[in-house]
Amino acid sequence: MAIAARARSQTERHAASTWWARNGVRTVVMVIGLSIFTLWTLFPFVWIIETSLKTNKDLYQQASLFPTHITGQHYSEVIHKTKFLTYIKNSLFVSIGTTLIAMVIGVLSAYAMTRLRFRGRTFMARAIIVTYLVPGALLFIPITQIALQLHLTNKASGLIAIYLIFTVPFCTWLAISYFNTIPVELEDAALVDGATRLQSLVRIIIPLALPALAVIALFAFTNAWNEFFFALLLVTKDSEKTIPAGLGGLINGDVFQWGALMAMSILSSAPPILVYLIAQKWVVSGLSGGAVKG
Amino acid sequence: MATISLGKRTAAVSPRSVSQRLLGRDWRLAWLFLLPLTVVLVVLIAYPFVAAIILSLQHKVVGGPATWVGVRNYRDLLVGAQYGAVFRKSVWVSFVYTAVAIAVKVSLGMCMALLLNERFRGRMVMRALLFLPWAMPTLITALTWRWIYDGTPNGLLNLIRINYLQKDTLTQFLANPRLALWSVIVVVVWQGTPFYTMMLLAGMQAIPREQYEAAAMDGANVFQRFVFITLPSLKPVLIITCLLSTIWTANSVNFVFVLTRGGPANATMTFPMLAYEIGIDGARQLGTAAAVSVMFFPLFIVAIVFLTKRMLSTEGRA
């Protein structure tokens, strides 16, 4: 019946010759739409790369859309005249620290939430979601005040503590939604054989969840790597600056050193962007799986 | 799902004690595993949350002592001579900023997702390219756009206007009170659209192809298929994405902070920026600043309660 219906509808379409019209229209819409979106998405990237390669003359005196000379001077300035490598090191330390702590907390909690039976489970689930959703604007005044009071300025530990506020509920929630997809029965044999819960978590659940955990870790890492509000506010000592604070150091009042700023931007954001491009498929499924389901 | 295997498990472990009956079979181990999380939730989130509310009832300058003033901070914001006008302005600015940004993001995100959901060669490459703004660090996005908008002949837009469009005046995208808010919204949209695209695309791919084929056979055209199949199927995803994004967009200080600092003439003074200006940058009145954030919080409670319920129920189903 379906075949007959399809054949009928196709003959109808051919008769009116709308099939070609429709596919023609489809192609035109696709090409125009995708071109506009591509241009809209990519032009700032082109502008960043151009700016980082232009001479100061092309940037300021005789501004031109495309560089007349290509120069590496901004890159060498960033590497030689700023503490770029120190900033990278500090950013790595803060981001890896945040990620490790958030992942340990998230995985342990997610295991308890999905595999163990105890009173207060629903309450904790609610608490995790609410803290994940609670607006940052409500917290930044007290957090700043507390950080200043406890002299957490210019300290990696201070930044890590603050970044945990945003990463822990998020990591825990994503880990919970992933652990829920792993059948409980897989652990039963091990538990009957006398394995402890911790052993079962480490030997069975974590290896199974490894790809998902990698995506969660990537989120946590980039969250910490990209955060700049507290980094600019709390870190003023050059030797303790993370990348965002270092970028801030290239701005003096209203004077922006655009060439160097864009060069440092490219050097510091290229690695995470590359990782995203490569892991894009998993990133998308992780993101939509954790926040939106069903 | 854990209840199904309960009988089998209890047989394997020791008989249940009184505490296990009262607090659940694994309560000791569970709370041991949850201890670090509990510390983070209490010390790093609940405590600042309570501190915000207490602070909003105090007069406190950074580094100074706190004195209890009751609701005076709130009164100052609502009807006070110093902050009244700017606070009311920030309510309006926050509303326009959030509403317009969300509306444009969801529309563009939908268009992008529809295009990317089609089959064509190079689809995966296109997808990766169009997601780039999402992967870009926010500070760098904001700085780049500040340079694109630059009010000298060197900024990209003014460069194009003067060299290619034969205009002879410079446009102050970020310094003109009538343009500034729209310029900021453009940046928010540029960065935020890919999140919608991702969510909607994931939602679209969950719709069975047969539904479209059946509708096509019944003679439904592209628009009818979109209105009667795609939109209804995407409703849950749409609602959740919009709510999440509303909370994040409204409460983020990032773009305004780098692009305009709330200026010119408070034209871009969203409420988190106002809290920053009052509490950290200018007068350093922490109490009044906390009151700004606390006053806006009830607006988000509805979204938070809805999302919490929704996410809890999907967790149970998984």
Side-chain angles (χ1 to χ4, degrees):
Chain A
M1 200 184 79
I3 296 167
R6 189 172 297 168
R8 194 186 62 222
S9 83
Q10 273 189 358
T11 47
E12 274 169 16
R13 278 191 211 150
H14 276 296
S17 81
T18 53
W19 191 90
W20 288 109
R22 186 174 301 165
N23 269 281
V25 170
R26 178 183 173 274
T27 311
V28 170
V29 170
M30 293 283 297
V31 168
I32 293 179
L34 288 172
S35 310
I36 292 175
F37 277 129
T38 309
L39 193 69
W40 158 248
T41 302
L42 292 187
F43 85 87
F45 289 95
V46 176
W47 185 237
I48 301 177
I49 296 168
E50 256 193 31
T51 302
S52 75
L53 295 170
K54 276 181 183 170
T55 57
N56 276 333
K57 189 172 160 240
D58 280 347
L59 284 175
Y60 305 116
Q61 278 116 48
Q62 285 176 300
S64 62
L65 194 51
F66 300 103
T68 51
H69 296 285
I70 286 182
T71 171
Q73 69 175 81
H74 301 302
Y75 288 91
S76 76
E77 193 189 321
V78 164
I79 290 168
H80 298 299
K81 289 194 186 155
T82 71
K83 291 197 167 145
F84 181 69
L85 291 177
T86 311
Y87 305 154
I88 289 274
K89 201 192 78 205
N90 292 336
S91 265
L92 277 175
F93 182 79
V94 169
S95 308
I96 293 176
T98 307
T99 309
L100 283 179
I101 299 174
M103 289 305 287
V104 170
I105 297 177
V107 165
L108 279 178
S109 315
Y111 186 83
M113 296 293 292
T114 55
R115 296 294 189 273
L116 302 180
R117 294 177 53 76
F118 60 99
R119 198 169 283 253
R121 207 194 76 94
T122 321
F123 173 79
M124 283 307 278
R126 207 165 276 152
I128 294 164
I129 304 173
V130 169
T131 48
Y132 165 58
L133 296 174
V134 115
L138 190 67
L139 299 179
F140 81 76
I141 295 286
I143 289 170
T144 311
Q145 195 229 342
I146 295 165
L148 293 173
Q149 223 164 37
L150 298 178
H151 302 290
L152 289 177
T153 46
N154 291 321
K155 282 197 188 99
S157 55
L159 284 184
I160 292 179
I162 292 172
Y163 295 170
L164 287 178
I165 297 174
F166 307 106
T167 42
V168 164
F170 177 68
C171 290
T172 309
W173 182 250
L174 285 184
I176 288 177
S177 47
Y178 193 75
F179 283 8
N180 265 328
T181 65
I182 302 174
V184 186
E185 290 71 32
L186 285 174
E187 280 174 89
D188 281 350
L191 288 174
V192 168
D193 287 346
T196 64
R197 287 289 186 170
L198 196 61
Q199 285 169 331
S200 149
L201 169 65
V202 172
R203 300 223 184 109
I204 298 173
I205 302 291
I206 290 183
L208 276 173
L210 216 52
L213 293 179
V215 172
I216 302 173
L218 182 66
F219 283 141
F221 182 88
T222 39
N223 241 321
W225 184 268
N226 294 345
E227 199 289 329
F228 69 89
F229 185 80
F230 289 106
L232 286 173
L233 204 66
L234 296 179
V235 186
T236 46
K237 213 162 94 191
D238 209 29
S239 63
E240 299 301 322
K241 279 180 180 173
T242 54
I243 286 287
L247 281 166
L250 291 171
I251 304 165
N252 298 314
D254 273 344
V255 182
F256 290 65
Q257 302 174 46
W258 289 113
L261 267 173
M262 293 296 124
M264 195 191 276
S265 298
I266 290 175
L267 289 177
S268 63
S269 65
I273 288 184
L274 281 179
V275 174
Y276 268 106
L277 285 182
I278 295 164
Q280 189 235 135
K281 207 176 116 194
W282 298 282
V283 169
V284 171
S285 67
L287 197 72
S288 51
V292 189
K293 234 179 175 187
Chain B
M1 62 252 129
T3 33
I4 302 164
S5 54
L6 180 64
K8 192 167 55 185
R9 283 245 197 104
T10 34
V13 291
S14 56
R16 312 180 84 191
S17 65
V18 181
S19 66
Q20 277 179 324
R21 253 202 319 276
L22 284 174
L23 300 169
R25 191 192 63 205
D26 309 309
W27 69 275
R28 276 170 223 266
L29 190 65
W31 286 106
L32 185 67
F33 276 18
L34 286 170
L35 186 68
L37 176 72
T38 313
V39 171
V40 168
L41 294 188
V42 172
V43 176
L44 292 176
I45 302 174
Y47 173 62
F49 183 86
V50 176
I53 295 170
I54 293 176
L55 206 53
S56 76
L57 300 170
Q58 291 176 330
H59 172 80
K60 182 164 166 51
V61 181
V62 177
T67 45
W68 201 257
V69 295
V71 294
R72 203 182 74 196
N73 289 322
Y74 293 93
R75 211 179 49 218
D76 281 353
L77 287 172
L78 289 171
V79 291
Q82 194 185 356
Y83 297 123
V86 63
F87 178 76
R88 286 190 297 271
K89 172 108 189 172
S90 85
V91 173
W92 176 242
V93 170
S94 298
F95 173 75
V96 174
Y97 173 81
T98 310
V100 174
I102 301 291
V104 179
K105 279 195 276 191
V106 76
S107 320
L108 285 183
M110 181 66 88
C111 294
M112 234 187 234
L114 284 170
L115 288 173
L116 291 176
N117 196 34
E118 293 292 318
R119 287 159 200 262
F120 60 90
R121 205 179 300 173
R123 182 175 172 220
M124 292 314 284
V125 176
M126 275 313 285
R127 215 178 263 188
L129 282 183
L130 295 187
F131 288 164
L132 272 177
W134 182 81
M136 175 117 133
T138 309
L139 175 62
I140 296 173
T141 304
L143 284 172
T144 306
W145 278 90
R146 188 164 172 152
W147 178 221
I148 289 172
Y149 284 141
D150 198 82
T152 67
N154 309 325
L156 176 63
L157 292 181
N158 276 315
L159 186 81
I160 292 175
R161 279 167 48 84
I162 285 175
N163 291 1
Y164 297 90
L165 302 174
Q166 268 76 46
K167 297 279 193 327
D168 46 12
T169 52
L170 295 167
T171 303
Q172 302 299 320
F173 292 95
L174 296 172
N176 178 343
R178 291 173 58 192
L179 282 180
L181 184 59
W182 306 108
S183 307
V184 175
I185 290 174
V186 166
V187 185
V188 175
V189 167
W190 184 82
Q191 196 225 23
T193 303
F195 176 71
Y196 281 82
T197 310
M198 270 187 241
M199 293 300 211
L200 293 174
L201 194 56
M204 284 176 192
Q205 285 171 345
I207 306 173
R209 289 248 159 217
E210 296 82 51
Q211 283 193 25
Y212 289 105
E213 283 163 15
M217 262 180 250
D218 290 339
N221 65 30
V222 180
F223 297 103
Q224 286 167 330
R225 273 178 275 164
F226 175 72
V227 172
F228 294 110
I229 300 176
T230 314
L231 267 188
S233 315
L234 288 180
K235 204 176 130 200
V237 183
L238 266 174
I239 293 174
I240 290 187
T241 312
C242 286
L243 285 179
L244 276 176
S245 164
T246 303
I247 297 177
W248 291 333
T249 308
N251 285 285
S252 156
V253 73
N254 291 345
F255 287 118
V256 176
F257 181 76
V258 179
L259 291 168
T260 60
R261 290 255 169 164
N266 297 328
T268 57
M269 192 62 84
T270 58
F271 80 90
M273 193 64 226
L274 181 64
Y276 176 87
E277 285 292 310
I278 295 177
I280 297 167
D281 205 34
R284 312 205 117 199
Q285 302 276 356
L286 285 169
T288 317
V292 174
S293 315
V294 173
M295 233 181 321
F296 274 87
F297 182 59
L299 290 178
F300 301 102
I301 289 180
V302 182
I304 293 174
V305 169
F306 179 87
L307 282 168
T308 307
K309 272 193 182 151
R310 177 95 211 165
M311 286 163 84
L312 265 183
S313 70
T314 51
E315 188 233 359
R317 235 188 292 141

